[in-house]
Short mmCIF file of all heavy atoms in Angstrom, two decimals:
data_model
loop_
_atom_site.label_atom_id
_atom_site.label_comp_id
_atom_site.label_asym_id
_atom_site.label_seq_id
_atom_site.Cartn_x
_atom_site.Cartn_y
_atom_site.Cartn_z
N MET R 191 82.67 63.84 92.96
CA MET R 191 81.49 63.07 93.28
C MET R 191 80.39 63.37 92.26
O MET R 191 80.15 64.52 91.92
CB MET R 191 80.99 63.42 94.68
CG MET R 191 81.98 63.10 95.80
SD MET R 191 82.26 61.36 96.02
CE MET R 191 80.94 60.94 97.10
N HIS R 192 79.75 62.32 91.80
CA HIS R 192 78.68 62.45 90.80
C HIS R 192 77.32 62.42 91.46
O HIS R 192 77.11 61.72 92.45
CB HIS R 192 78.73 61.28 89.81
CG HIS R 192 79.95 61.25 88.95
ND1 HIS R 192 80.20 62.19 87.99
CD2 HIS R 192 80.98 60.37 88.89
CE1 HIS R 192 81.33 61.90 87.37
NE2 HIS R 192 81.83 60.81 87.92
N SER R 193 76.38 63.14 90.88
CA SER R 193 74.99 63.02 91.29
C SER R 193 74.42 61.77 90.62
O SER R 193 75.07 61.16 89.75
CB SER R 193 74.20 64.25 90.84
OG SER R 193 74.14 64.28 89.41
N VAL R 194 73.22 61.39 91.00
CA VAL R 194 72.58 60.22 90.39
C VAL R 194 72.41 60.45 88.88
O VAL R 194 72.69 59.57 88.07
CB VAL R 194 71.23 59.94 91.07
CG1 VAL R 194 70.43 58.91 90.30
CG2 VAL R 194 71.45 59.47 92.50
N LYS R 195 72.00 61.65 88.52
CA LYS R 195 71.77 61.97 87.11
C LYS R 195 73.06 61.88 86.30
O LYS R 195 73.09 61.32 85.21
CB LYS R 195 71.17 63.37 87.00
CG LYS R 195 70.70 63.74 85.63
CD LYS R 195 70.00 65.10 85.66
CE LYS R 195 69.51 65.50 84.30
NZ LYS R 195 68.83 66.81 84.32
N THR R 196 74.15 62.42 86.84
CA THR R 196 75.44 62.38 86.16
C THR R 196 75.97 60.95 86.05
O THR R 196 76.49 60.56 85.01
CB THR R 196 76.47 63.26 86.90
OG1 THR R 196 75.93 64.56 87.07
CG2 THR R 196 77.77 63.35 86.14
N ALA R 197 75.83 60.18 87.12
CA ALA R 197 76.27 58.78 87.09
C ALA R 197 75.48 57.99 86.06
O ALA R 197 76.03 57.15 85.35
CB ALA R 197 76.12 58.16 88.47
N ALA R 198 74.18 58.27 85.97
CA ALA R 198 73.34 57.58 84.99
C ALA R 198 73.80 57.90 83.57
O ALA R 198 73.89 56.99 82.72
CB ALA R 198 71.89 57.99 85.17
N LYS R 199 74.12 59.15 83.30
CA LYS R 199 74.61 59.53 81.97
C LYS R 199 75.93 58.84 81.66
O LYS R 199 76.15 58.37 80.55
CB LYS R 199 74.77 61.04 81.87
CG LYS R 199 73.48 61.77 81.68
CD LYS R 199 73.72 63.26 81.50
CE LYS R 199 72.41 63.99 81.33
NZ LYS R 199 72.59 65.43 81.16
N GLU R 200 76.80 58.78 82.65
CA GLU R 200 78.11 58.16 82.44
C GLU R 200 78.00 56.67 82.13
O GLU R 200 78.73 56.14 81.31
CB GLU R 200 79.02 58.38 83.64
CG GLU R 200 80.40 57.82 83.41
CD GLU R 200 81.46 58.55 84.20
OE1 GLU R 200 81.25 59.69 84.61
OE2 GLU R 200 82.52 57.93 84.38
N LEU R 201 77.07 56.00 82.79
CA LEU R 201 76.87 54.56 82.55
C LEU R 201 75.91 54.29 81.41
O LEU R 201 75.79 53.14 80.97
CB LEU R 201 76.36 53.88 83.83
CG LEU R 201 77.37 53.73 84.95
CD1 LEU R 201 76.70 53.21 86.21
CD2 LEU R 201 78.50 52.80 84.54
N GLY R 202 75.22 55.30 80.95
CA GLY R 202 74.28 55.12 79.86
C GLY R 202 73.01 54.39 80.28
O GLY R 202 72.44 53.61 79.52
N VAL R 203 72.57 54.65 81.51
CA VAL R 203 71.36 54.03 82.04
C VAL R 203 70.45 55.12 82.61
O VAL R 203 70.81 56.29 82.64
CB VAL R 203 71.70 52.98 83.14
CG1 VAL R 203 72.54 51.86 82.57
CG2 VAL R 203 72.40 53.62 84.31
N SER R 204 69.29 54.72 83.10
CA SER R 204 68.35 55.70 83.67
C SER R 204 68.71 55.99 85.12
O SER R 204 69.31 55.16 85.81
CB SER R 204 66.93 55.15 83.59
OG SER R 204 66.79 54.05 84.46
N PRO R 205 68.32 57.18 85.60
CA PRO R 205 68.54 57.49 87.02
C PRO R 205 67.83 56.49 87.94
O PRO R 205 68.35 56.17 89.01
CB PRO R 205 67.95 58.89 87.17
CG PRO R 205 68.08 59.50 85.81
CD PRO R 205 67.84 58.35 84.86
N SER R 206 66.68 55.98 87.53
CA SER R 206 65.97 55.02 88.39
C SER R 206 66.78 53.74 88.57
O SER R 206 66.75 53.13 89.65
CB SER R 206 64.57 54.71 87.85
OG SER R 206 64.65 54.09 86.59
N LEU R 207 67.52 53.34 87.54
CA LEU R 207 68.39 52.16 87.69
C LEU R 207 69.51 52.45 88.68
O LEU R 207 69.87 51.58 89.49
CB LEU R 207 68.96 51.72 86.35
CG LEU R 207 69.90 50.51 86.40
CD1 LEU R 207 69.20 49.29 87.00
CD2 LEU R 207 70.43 50.19 85.02
N ILE R 208 70.05 53.65 88.66
CA ILE R 208 71.10 54.02 89.62
C ILE R 208 70.56 53.94 91.04
O ILE R 208 71.21 53.40 91.93
CB ILE R 208 71.65 55.44 89.32
CG1 ILE R 208 72.31 55.49 87.94
CG2 ILE R 208 72.63 55.88 90.40
CD1 ILE R 208 73.54 54.63 87.77
N TYR R 209 69.35 54.45 91.26
CA TYR R 209 68.74 54.35 92.59
C TYR R 209 68.58 52.89 93.01
O TYR R 209 68.86 52.53 94.15
CB TYR R 209 67.38 55.05 92.62
CG TYR R 209 67.45 56.55 92.68
CD1 TYR R 209 66.97 57.32 91.63
CD2 TYR R 209 67.98 57.20 93.79
CE1 TYR R 209 67.03 58.71 91.68
CE2 TYR R 209 68.04 58.59 93.85
CZ TYR R 209 67.57 59.33 92.79
OH TYR R 209 67.62 60.71 92.85
N ARG R 210 68.14 52.05 92.08
CA ARG R 210 67.95 50.63 92.41
C ARG R 210 69.28 49.95 92.70
O ARG R 210 69.38 49.12 93.61
CB ARG R 210 67.21 49.91 91.27
CG ARG R 210 65.77 50.35 91.16
CD ARG R 210 64.92 49.44 90.29
NE ARG R 210 65.53 49.01 89.05
CZ ARG R 210 65.23 49.48 87.85
NH1 ARG R 210 64.31 50.42 87.71
NH2 ARG R 210 65.84 49.03 86.78
N LEU R 211 70.33 50.29 91.94
CA LEU R 211 71.65 49.71 92.19
C LEU R 211 72.17 50.14 93.56
O LEU R 211 72.78 49.33 94.28
CB LEU R 211 72.64 50.13 91.09
CG LEU R 211 72.41 49.53 89.72
CD1 LEU R 211 73.31 50.21 88.68
CD2 LEU R 211 72.67 48.02 89.73
N CYS R 212 71.95 51.39 93.92
CA CYS R 212 72.37 51.88 95.24
C CYS R 212 71.61 51.16 96.35
O CYS R 212 72.20 50.71 97.33
CB CYS R 212 72.16 53.38 95.34
SG CYS R 212 73.31 54.36 94.35
N ASN R 213 70.29 51.03 96.19
CA ASN R 213 69.48 50.37 97.21
C ASN R 213 69.83 48.90 97.35
O ASN R 213 69.74 48.34 98.44
CB ASN R 213 67.99 50.52 96.89
CG ASN R 213 67.50 51.92 97.15
OD1 ASN R 213 68.08 52.65 97.94
ND2 ASN R 213 66.43 52.30 96.48
N ALA R 214 70.25 48.25 96.26
CA ALA R 214 70.63 46.84 96.29
C ALA R 214 72.05 46.63 96.80
O ALA R 214 72.48 45.50 96.99
CB ALA R 214 70.48 46.23 94.89
N GLY R 215 72.80 47.73 96.98
CA GLY R 215 74.17 47.62 97.45
C GLY R 215 75.15 47.23 96.37
O GLY R 215 76.27 46.81 96.65
N LYS R 216 74.76 47.37 95.11
CA LYS R 216 75.64 47.00 94.00
C LYS R 216 76.49 48.16 93.50
O LYS R 216 77.45 47.96 92.77
CB LYS R 216 74.81 46.43 92.85
CG LYS R 216 74.13 45.14 93.23
CD LYS R 216 73.39 44.53 92.07
CE LYS R 216 72.71 43.27 92.52
NZ LYS R 216 73.15 42.11 91.80
N LEU R 217 76.12 49.37 93.87
CA LEU R 217 76.88 50.55 93.48
C LEU R 217 77.18 51.34 94.76
O LEU R 217 76.27 51.80 95.45
CB LEU R 217 76.06 51.41 92.51
CG LEU R 217 76.73 52.67 91.97
CD1 LEU R 217 78.02 52.34 91.22
CD2 LEU R 217 75.77 53.40 91.05
N LYS R 218 78.48 51.47 95.07
CA LYS R 218 78.87 52.19 96.28
C LYS R 218 78.48 53.66 96.15
O LYS R 218 78.64 54.26 95.09
CB LYS R 218 80.38 52.08 96.49
CG LYS R 218 80.83 50.70 96.88
CD LYS R 218 82.33 50.69 97.13
CE LYS R 218 82.80 49.30 97.48
NZ LYS R 218 84.26 49.26 97.68
N HIS R 219 77.98 54.20 97.22
CA HIS R 219 77.55 55.59 97.22
C HIS R 219 77.59 56.15 98.64
O HIS R 219 77.78 55.41 99.59
CB HIS R 219 76.12 55.69 96.66
CG HIS R 219 75.11 54.98 97.50
ND1 HIS R 219 74.99 53.61 97.52
CD2 HIS R 219 74.18 55.45 98.36
CE1 HIS R 219 74.02 53.26 98.35
NE2 HIS R 219 73.52 54.37 98.88
N GLU R 220 77.41 57.46 98.73
CA GLU R 220 77.34 58.14 100.02
C GLU R 220 76.07 58.98 100.04
O GLU R 220 75.61 59.45 99.00
CB GLU R 220 78.56 59.05 100.21
CG GLU R 220 79.87 58.30 100.23
CD GLU R 220 81.07 59.23 100.34
OE1 GLU R 220 80.89 60.39 100.75
OE2 GLU R 220 82.16 58.79 100.01
N ARG R 221 75.52 59.13 101.23
CA ARG R 221 74.34 59.98 101.40
C ARG R 221 74.72 61.17 102.28
O ARG R 221 75.32 61.00 103.33
CB ARG R 221 73.20 59.21 102.06
CG ARG R 221 72.54 58.23 101.13
CD ARG R 221 71.28 57.68 101.78
NE ARG R 221 70.66 56.69 100.93
CZ ARG R 221 69.67 56.96 100.08
NH1 ARG R 221 69.21 58.17 99.99
NH2 ARG R 221 69.16 56.00 99.34
N PHE R 222 74.33 62.34 101.84
CA PHE R 222 74.60 63.56 102.58
C PHE R 222 73.28 64.25 102.90
O PHE R 222 72.37 64.25 102.07
CB PHE R 222 75.47 64.52 101.77
CG PHE R 222 76.84 63.95 101.45
CD1 PHE R 222 77.09 63.35 100.23
CD2 PHE R 222 77.84 64.01 102.38
CE1 PHE R 222 78.33 62.83 99.94
CE2 PHE R 222 79.10 63.50 102.10
CZ PHE R 222 79.34 62.90 100.88
N GLY R 223 73.18 64.79 104.09
CA GLY R 223 71.99 65.54 104.47
C GLY R 223 71.12 64.78 105.45
O GLY R 223 71.44 63.69 105.90
N LEU R 224 69.99 65.38 105.77
CA LEU R 224 69.05 64.80 106.73
C LEU R 224 68.00 63.97 106.00
O LEU R 224 67.75 64.15 104.81
CB LEU R 224 68.39 65.91 107.53
CG LEU R 224 69.35 66.84 108.28
CD1 LEU R 224 68.58 68.00 108.90
CD2 LEU R 224 70.10 66.06 109.34
N GLY R 225 67.35 63.07 106.74
CA GLY R 225 66.33 62.24 106.12
C GLY R 225 66.95 61.27 105.13
O GLY R 225 67.94 60.62 105.42
N ARG R 226 66.38 61.21 103.94
CA ARG R 226 66.94 60.31 102.92
C ARG R 226 68.27 60.83 102.39
O ARG R 226 69.10 60.08 101.94
CB ARG R 226 65.95 60.14 101.77
CG ARG R 226 64.70 59.42 102.19
CD ARG R 226 63.80 59.11 101.05
NE ARG R 226 63.68 60.19 100.09
CZ ARG R 226 62.99 60.13 98.97
NH1 ARG R 226 62.34 59.04 98.68
NH2 ARG R 226 62.93 61.15 98.16
N GLY R 227 68.44 62.12 102.41
CA GLY R 227 69.70 62.72 101.99
C GLY R 227 69.87 62.72 100.48
O GLY R 227 69.01 62.28 99.73
N THR R 228 71.00 63.24 100.06
CA THR R 228 71.36 63.31 98.65
C THR R 228 72.40 62.25 98.38
O THR R 228 73.38 62.12 99.12
CB THR R 228 71.94 64.70 98.32
OG1 THR R 228 70.96 65.69 98.63
CG2 THR R 228 72.33 64.80 96.88
N ILE R 229 72.23 61.51 97.32
CA ILE R 229 73.18 60.45 96.96
C ILE R 229 74.29 61.05 96.10
O ILE R 229 74.03 61.79 95.15
CB ILE R 229 72.47 59.32 96.20
CG1 ILE R 229 71.50 58.59 97.13
CG2 ILE R 229 73.48 58.34 95.61
CD1 ILE R 229 70.69 57.51 96.46
N ARG R 230 75.51 60.69 96.44
CA ARG R 230 76.68 61.06 95.65
C ARG R 230 77.50 59.79 95.40
O ARG R 230 77.67 58.96 96.29
CB ARG R 230 77.53 62.11 96.37
CG ARG R 230 76.86 63.44 96.49
CD ARG R 230 76.71 64.11 95.12
NE ARG R 230 76.04 65.39 95.22
CZ ARG R 230 74.85 65.65 94.71
NH1 ARG R 230 74.19 64.70 94.07
NH2 ARG R 230 74.31 66.83 94.83
N ILE R 231 78.01 59.69 94.18
CA ILE R 231 78.73 58.49 93.77
C ILE R 231 80.12 58.90 93.30
O ILE R 231 80.27 59.75 92.42
CB ILE R 231 77.96 57.78 92.64
CG1 ILE R 231 76.55 57.44 93.13
CG2 ILE R 231 78.69 56.53 92.18
CD1 ILE R 231 75.56 57.15 92.04
N ALA R 232 81.14 58.26 93.87
CA ALA R 232 82.52 58.56 93.51
C ALA R 232 82.84 57.98 92.13
O ALA R 232 82.31 56.92 91.76
CB ALA R 232 83.47 57.98 94.54
N PRO R 233 83.68 58.65 91.35
CA PRO R 233 84.07 58.10 90.04
C PRO R 233 84.67 56.69 90.15
O PRO R 233 84.46 55.85 89.28
CB PRO R 233 85.11 59.10 89.53
CG PRO R 233 84.82 60.37 90.26
CD PRO R 233 84.28 59.96 91.59
N GLU R 234 85.39 56.43 91.24
CA GLU R 234 85.98 55.10 91.44
C GLU R 234 84.89 54.03 91.60
O GLU R 234 85.07 52.89 91.19
CB GLU R 234 86.88 55.09 92.68
CG GLU R 234 88.06 56.05 92.61
CD GLU R 234 87.67 57.49 92.98
OE1 GLU R 234 86.74 57.70 93.77
OE2 GLU R 234 88.31 58.40 92.42
N ALA R 235 83.76 54.41 92.21
CA ALA R 235 82.66 53.47 92.39
C ALA R 235 82.05 53.09 91.04
O ALA R 235 81.67 51.94 90.82
CB ALA R 235 81.60 54.06 93.30
N ILE R 236 81.98 54.05 90.13
CA ILE R 236 81.46 53.77 88.79
C ILE R 236 82.41 52.85 88.04
O ILE R 236 82.00 51.88 87.40
CB ILE R 236 81.22 55.08 88.02
CG1 ILE R 236 80.10 55.86 88.70
CG2 ILE R 236 80.90 54.81 86.56
CD1 ILE R 236 79.87 57.24 88.16
N THR R 237 83.72 53.13 88.14
CA THR R 237 84.72 52.28 87.49
C THR R 237 84.66 50.87 88.05
O THR R 237 84.69 49.89 87.30
CB THR R 237 86.13 52.87 87.70
OG1 THR R 237 86.16 54.20 87.17
CG2 THR R 237 87.19 52.02 87.03
N GLU R 238 84.56 50.75 89.36
CA GLU R 238 84.48 49.44 90.02
C GLU R 238 83.23 48.68 89.57
O GLU R 238 83.28 47.49 89.29
CB GLU R 238 84.47 49.63 91.53
CG GLU R 238 84.44 48.35 92.32
CD GLU R 238 84.38 48.63 93.81
OE1 GLU R 238 85.22 49.43 94.29
OE2 GLU R 238 83.49 48.08 94.48
N TYR R 239 82.09 49.37 89.48
CA TYR R 239 80.86 48.73 89.04
C TYR R 239 81.00 48.22 87.61
O TYR R 239 80.57 47.12 87.28
CB TYR R 239 79.68 49.69 89.15
CG TYR R 239 78.40 49.11 88.60
CD1 TYR R 239 77.70 48.15 89.32
CD2 TYR R 239 77.93 49.48 87.35
CE1 TYR R 239 76.54 47.59 88.82
CE2 TYR R 239 76.77 48.92 86.84
CZ TYR R 239 76.09 47.98 87.58
OH TYR R 239 74.95 47.41 87.07
N ARG R 240 81.61 49.04 86.75
CA ARG R 240 81.83 48.62 85.35
C ARG R 240 82.68 47.35 85.28
O ARG R 240 82.40 46.45 84.50
CB ARG R 240 82.54 49.73 84.58
CG ARG R 240 81.64 50.75 84.01
CD ARG R 240 82.41 51.61 83.01
NE ARG R 240 81.51 52.53 82.40
CZ ARG R 240 81.69 53.84 82.35
NH1 ARG R 240 82.77 54.36 82.87
NH2 ARG R 240 80.81 54.61 81.77
N GLN R 241 83.73 47.30 86.08
CA GLN R 241 84.61 46.13 86.06
C GLN R 241 83.88 44.88 86.53
O GLN R 241 84.04 43.81 85.96
CB GLN R 241 85.84 46.38 86.92
CG GLN R 241 86.78 47.40 86.31
CD GLN R 241 87.89 47.81 87.24
OE1 GLN R 241 87.86 47.54 88.45
NE2 GLN R 241 88.88 48.51 86.71
N ARG R 242 83.06 45.01 87.57
CA ARG R 242 82.30 43.86 88.07
C ARG R 242 81.22 43.42 87.09
O ARG R 242 80.83 42.27 87.05
CB ARG R 242 81.65 44.20 89.42
CG ARG R 242 82.58 44.17 90.59
CD ARG R 242 81.83 44.16 91.92
NE ARG R 242 80.59 44.92 91.94
CZ ARG R 242 80.47 46.19 92.32
NH1 ARG R 242 81.55 46.86 92.72
NH2 ARG R 242 79.31 46.81 92.31
N SER R 243 80.73 44.36 86.29
CA SER R 243 79.63 44.06 85.37
C SER R 243 80.09 43.57 84.01
O SER R 243 79.27 43.16 83.20
CB SER R 243 78.77 45.32 85.17
OG SER R 243 78.24 45.73 86.41
N SER R 244 81.38 43.62 83.77
CA SER R 244 81.90 43.19 82.47
C SER R 244 81.69 41.69 82.30
O SER R 244 81.94 40.90 83.21
CB SER R 244 83.38 43.50 82.34
OG SER R 244 83.57 44.89 82.33
N VAL R 245 81.23 41.32 81.11
CA VAL R 245 81.01 39.92 80.79
C VAL R 245 82.25 39.41 80.07
O VAL R 245 82.70 40.01 79.09
CB VAL R 245 79.77 39.77 79.88
CG1 VAL R 245 79.55 38.33 79.51
CG2 VAL R 245 78.56 40.35 80.57
N PRO R 246 82.82 38.29 80.53
CA PRO R 246 84.02 37.78 79.87
C PRO R 246 83.69 37.30 78.45
O PRO R 246 82.56 36.89 78.16
CB PRO R 246 84.45 36.60 80.75
CG PRO R 246 83.24 36.23 81.53
CD PRO R 246 82.40 37.45 81.64
N GLN R 247 84.68 37.37 77.60
CA GLN R 247 84.51 36.93 76.22
C GLN R 247 84.31 35.42 76.19
O GLN R 247 84.99 34.68 76.88
CB GLN R 247 85.71 37.33 75.39
CG GLN R 247 85.47 37.19 73.91
CD GLN R 247 86.59 37.83 73.10
OE1 GLN R 247 87.63 38.19 73.66
NE2 GLN R 247 86.39 37.97 71.83
N ILE R 248 83.38 34.97 75.38
CA ILE R 248 83.03 33.55 75.30
C ILE R 248 83.91 32.86 74.25
O ILE R 248 84.17 33.41 73.19
CB ILE R 248 81.55 33.38 74.92
CG1 ILE R 248 80.67 34.05 75.97
CG2 ILE R 248 81.19 31.93 74.76
CD1 ILE R 248 79.22 34.12 75.58
N ASP R 249 84.32 31.65 74.58
CA ASP R 249 85.07 30.84 73.63
C ASP R 249 84.10 30.33 72.57
O ASP R 249 83.19 29.57 72.86
CB ASP R 249 85.74 29.67 74.36
CG ASP R 249 86.51 28.77 73.42
OD1 ASP R 249 86.84 29.21 72.30
OD2 ASP R 249 86.78 27.61 73.80
N ARG R 250 84.27 30.73 71.36
CA ARG R 250 83.34 30.38 70.29
C ARG R 250 83.90 29.29 69.37
O ARG R 250 83.47 29.17 68.23
CB ARG R 250 83.00 31.62 69.48
CG ARG R 250 82.37 32.70 70.30
CD ARG R 250 81.01 32.96 69.80
NE ARG R 250 80.42 34.04 70.56
CZ ARG R 250 79.20 34.00 71.01
NH1 ARG R 250 78.45 32.96 70.80
NH2 ARG R 250 78.70 35.01 71.69
N THR R 251 84.83 28.50 69.85
CA THR R 251 85.40 27.45 69.00
C THR R 251 84.36 26.40 68.65
O THR R 251 84.46 25.75 67.63
CB THR R 251 86.60 26.77 69.68
OG1 THR R 251 86.21 26.29 70.95
CG2 THR R 251 87.75 27.74 69.82
N TRP R 252 83.32 26.25 69.47
CA TRP R 252 82.27 25.29 69.16
C TRP R 252 81.54 25.65 67.88
O TRP R 252 81.04 24.80 67.17
CB TRP R 252 81.26 25.19 70.31
CG TRP R 252 80.55 26.48 70.57
CD1 TRP R 252 80.94 27.47 71.41
CD2 TRP R 252 79.35 26.93 69.97
NE1 TRP R 252 80.06 28.52 71.38
CE2 TRP R 252 79.06 28.21 70.50
CE3 TRP R 252 78.47 26.39 69.02
CZ2 TRP R 252 77.95 28.95 70.11
CZ3 TRP R 252 77.36 27.15 68.66
CH2 TRP R 252 77.11 28.39 69.19
N ALA R 253 81.49 26.93 67.53
CA ALA R 253 80.79 27.36 66.33
C ALA R 253 81.48 26.83 65.08
O ALA R 253 80.82 26.45 64.12
CB ALA R 253 80.71 28.88 66.29
N THR R 254 82.80 26.78 65.10
CA THR R 254 83.50 26.25 63.93
C THR R 254 83.32 24.75 63.84
O THR R 254 83.20 24.20 62.75
CB THR R 254 85.00 26.60 63.97
OG1 THR R 254 85.56 26.11 65.18
CG2 THR R 254 85.21 28.10 63.88
N ARG R 255 83.28 24.08 64.97
CA ARG R 255 83.05 22.63 64.95
C ARG R 255 81.65 22.32 64.45
O ARG R 255 81.44 21.35 63.75
CB ARG R 255 83.23 22.05 66.36
CG ARG R 255 84.68 21.95 66.76
CD ARG R 255 84.81 21.17 68.05
NE ARG R 255 85.83 21.81 68.84
CZ ARG R 255 85.68 22.27 70.06
NH1 ARG R 255 84.55 22.13 70.69
NH2 ARG R 255 86.66 22.86 70.68
N ARG R 256 80.70 23.13 64.81
CA ARG R 256 79.32 22.91 64.40
C ARG R 256 79.19 23.00 62.88
O ARG R 256 78.50 22.20 62.26
CB ARG R 256 78.41 23.94 65.07
CG ARG R 256 76.98 23.77 64.69
CD ARG R 256 76.13 24.79 65.42
NE ARG R 256 74.77 24.69 64.95
CZ ARG R 256 73.84 25.56 65.19
NH1 ARG R 256 74.10 26.61 65.92
NH2 ARG R 256 72.63 25.40 64.73
N SER R 257 79.85 23.96 62.26
CA SER R 257 79.74 24.12 60.81
C SER R 257 80.44 22.97 60.07
O SER R 257 80.08 22.68 58.94
CB SER R 257 80.32 25.45 60.38
OG SER R 257 81.70 25.50 60.68
N GLN R 258 81.38 22.29 60.71
CA GLN R 258 82.06 21.16 60.08
C GLN R 258 81.20 19.90 60.12
O GLN R 258 81.42 18.99 59.35
CB GLN R 258 83.41 20.90 60.76
CG GLN R 258 84.40 22.03 60.55
CD GLN R 258 85.64 21.86 61.41
OE1 GLN R 258 85.69 20.98 62.26
NE2 GLN R 258 86.62 22.72 61.21
N SER R 259 80.24 19.84 61.02
CA SER R 259 79.39 18.66 61.18
C SER R 259 78.12 18.84 60.38
O SER R 259 77.04 18.97 60.91
CB SER R 259 79.08 18.44 62.66
OG SER R 259 80.26 18.35 63.40
N LYS R 260 78.24 18.80 59.05
CA LYS R 260 77.09 19.08 58.20
C LYS R 260 76.06 17.95 58.20
O LYS R 260 74.91 18.16 57.87
CB LYS R 260 77.55 19.35 56.77
CG LYS R 260 78.36 20.65 56.68
CD LYS R 260 78.80 20.91 55.28
CE LYS R 260 79.64 22.19 55.26
NZ LYS R 260 80.16 22.48 53.95
N HIS R 261 76.48 16.76 58.58
CA HIS R 261 75.54 15.65 58.60
C HIS R 261 74.58 15.70 59.79
O HIS R 261 73.56 15.04 59.78
CB HIS R 261 76.28 14.31 58.58
CG HIS R 261 77.07 14.06 59.82
ND1 HIS R 261 78.30 14.67 60.05
CD2 HIS R 261 76.83 13.29 60.90
CE1 HIS R 261 78.76 14.28 61.23
NE2 HIS R 261 77.89 13.42 61.77
N LEU R 262 74.92 16.52 60.80
CA LEU R 262 74.06 16.67 61.96
C LEU R 262 73.10 17.82 61.74
O LEU R 262 73.48 18.89 61.25
CB LEU R 262 74.88 16.95 63.22
CG LEU R 262 75.81 15.84 63.68
CD1 LEU R 262 76.60 16.30 64.87
CD2 LEU R 262 75.02 14.58 64.03
N LYS R 263 71.84 17.63 62.06
CA LYS R 263 70.87 18.71 61.95
C LYS R 263 70.61 19.26 63.34
O LYS R 263 70.04 18.59 64.19
CB LYS R 263 69.58 18.20 61.33
CG LYS R 263 69.78 17.77 59.90
CD LYS R 263 68.48 17.40 59.26
CE LYS R 263 68.76 16.99 57.82
NZ LYS R 263 67.55 16.70 57.09
N LEU R 264 71.09 20.47 63.57
CA LEU R 264 70.94 21.10 64.89
C LEU R 264 69.89 22.18 64.82
O LEU R 264 69.64 22.82 63.93
CB LEU R 264 72.28 21.68 65.35
CG LEU R 264 73.41 20.67 65.47
CD1 LEU R 264 74.69 21.40 65.84
CD2 LEU R 264 73.09 19.63 66.52
#
């Protein structure tokens, strides 16, 4: 289980972003203790968040068509 600080380092973001992701329900976590408790994040939750956050590769075939159309001013 990772602390907020460790999870932030692993994702390359700030700890405040990790807190916001947890509060928004976008990053699975567990709270231990009384009151607000201590947040712990499983390595699987970080992997799952990374997979959901991945942006698919864009088809850039339009770029080659654009360069062939020299008579058009874009």
Side-chain angles (χ1 to χ4, degrees):
M191 298 293 274
H192 294 292
S193 66
V194 169
K195 189 175 180 180
T196 307
K199 283 183 181 180
E200 183 152 339
L201 288 173
V203 298
S204 68
S206 63
L207 179 59
I208 297 296
Y209 284 115
R210 291 194 317 255
L211 290 170
C212 289
N213 287 336
K216 295 184 182 240
L217 182 59
K218 290 182 182 178
H219 63 285
E220 298 177 19
R221 286 190 183 264
F222 297 97
L224 303 173
R226 294 186 319 177
T228 301
I229 292 177
R230 293 292 179 246
I231 302 161
E234 299 82 29
I236 294 173
T237 302
E238 182 182 309
Y239 176 76
R240 274 193 176 127
Q241 290 171 347
R242 283 194 326 267
S243 299
S244 295
V245 178
Q247 193 169 11
I248 300 171
D249 179 19
R250 300 243 182 225
T251 55
W252 62 270
T254 57
R255 285 189 219 124
R256 180 178 175 192
S257 63
Q258 294 171 353
S259 304
K260 293 180 182 177
H261 66 283
L262 295 176
K263 294 186 180 184
L264 301 176

